[in-house]
Amino acid sequence: MGTSAVDAFFVQQSVIRCLIWATIYPLSVATSIQLRAYLKTGHPDKCSSLVWLSFLQSSLFGGLFGLAFYVGQEYVWYWFTTNPNILHRCGDSAPYTAASVVCYAWVIWAHGILRGFGDISSFVMLVFLANWVIGCPLGVYLGIFSRPVYNLTGYWIAWVTSGGLAAVSLVTYCLFMISWKRKHAKMVHRHQQEPLSTTSNPLQR
């Protein structure tokens, strides 16, 4: 497969991770803060529309980034490396890069939403199933045992497959499977169960 192919893969992954974490994650964290405010003030009916709006915004950012990586191909990566072999490899994998950007944007968006409610166990379980149960074996098979048919393309296929499964499952969970009225009821019940000594004096909260 060659070192240039591996270097290209890790250069692309590093850039994608930094870009998504710097843009999508703050958006999802801000959304989770507003969701908690809605639940505390007794407006769970506003939560669903807010989550949809945040999801569409993150999808817009992810789509624009993916389009830039696909259209720019070698030229985008020139900002991060001047090795012609790595630039050529990056250009060849442009479709997979664009798809992985969208998938990763959805995953990080869901991470911020779920972490704001302490529901990180659902995120970890879905990502573990997609990446380690499906993606890792598929990547080993396509990238190692199927050589020289796939080579680096095999790793990209496995990466996009696992990322797509994680993204779709997490987005489905956040948009359709969370009951905001139930979360509001749990928050009210938890507040009522707090000891009087911790709720009466704000300095002790």
Side-chain angles (χ1 to χ4, degrees):
M1 181 164 51
T3 57
S4 62
V6 177
D7 291 340
F9 181 80
F10 283 107
V11 166
Q12 290 171 302
Q13 290 303 316
S14 300
V15 173
I16 290 172
R17 288 176 181 274
C18 292
L19 184 63
I20 297 302
W21 275 99
T23 55
I24 304 299
Y25 187 69
L27 173 64
S28 62
V29 171
T31 302
S32 68
I33 294 174
Q34 185 61 47
L35 288 172
R36 293 184 67 88
Y38 281 155
L39 294 177
K40 287 182 178 179
T41 56
H43 298 288
D45 54 305
K46 297 182 179 180
C47 292
S48 180
S49 59
L50 178 62
V51 172
W52 270 101
L53 177 61
S54 176
F55 169 70
L56 293 177
Q57 290 174 339
S58 65
S59 300
L60 177 61
F61 280 113
L64 291 177
F65 294 150
L67 182 63
F69 288 140
Y70 180 75
V71 174
Q73 296 187 12
E74 297 180 3
Y75 304 103
V76 173
W77 306 110
Y78 184 78
W79 293 92
F80 307 99
T81 179
T82 57
N83 189 316
N85 294 325
I86 296 179
L87 291 173
H88 177 70
R89 293 283 189 172
C90 290
D92 291 340
S93 60
Y96 303 104
T97 307
S100 67
V101 169
V102 178
C103 294
Y104 197 63
W106 285 355
V107 170
I108 297 304
W109 171 81
H111 178 268
I113 297 294
L114 296 177
R115 186 174 184 179
F117 291 97
D119 194 9
I120 199 66
S121 59
S122 300
F123 176 85
V124 171
M125 180 186 66
L126 293 174
V127 171
F128 175 81
L129 292 175
N131 289 344
W132 292 100
V133 178
I134 298 175
C136 187
L138 183 61
V140 171
Y141 174 75
L142 295 179
I144 298 178
F145 294 103
S146 295
R147 295 171 60 187
V149 178
Y150 291 104
N151 289 332
L152 179 64
T153 305
Y155 289 113
W156 271 114
I157 292 174
W159 187 267
V160 173
T161 301
S162 61
L165 291 173
V168 171
S169 59
L170 287 168
V171 167
T172 302
Y173 180 78
C174 291
L175 294 180
F176 302 105
M177 300 181 65
I178 296 179
S179 175
W180 299 110
K181 292 183 179 180
R182 187 179 304 171
K183 283 191 173 294
H184 170 65
K186 288 183 178 180
M187 183 176 292
V188 172
H189 177 73
R190 184 166 56 249
H191 180 73
Q192 292 176 347
Q193 294 298 320
E194 291 180 355
L196 184 59
S197 59
T198 61
T199 58
S200 59
N201 188 353
L203 298 177
Q204 297 180 1
R205 292 182 182 180

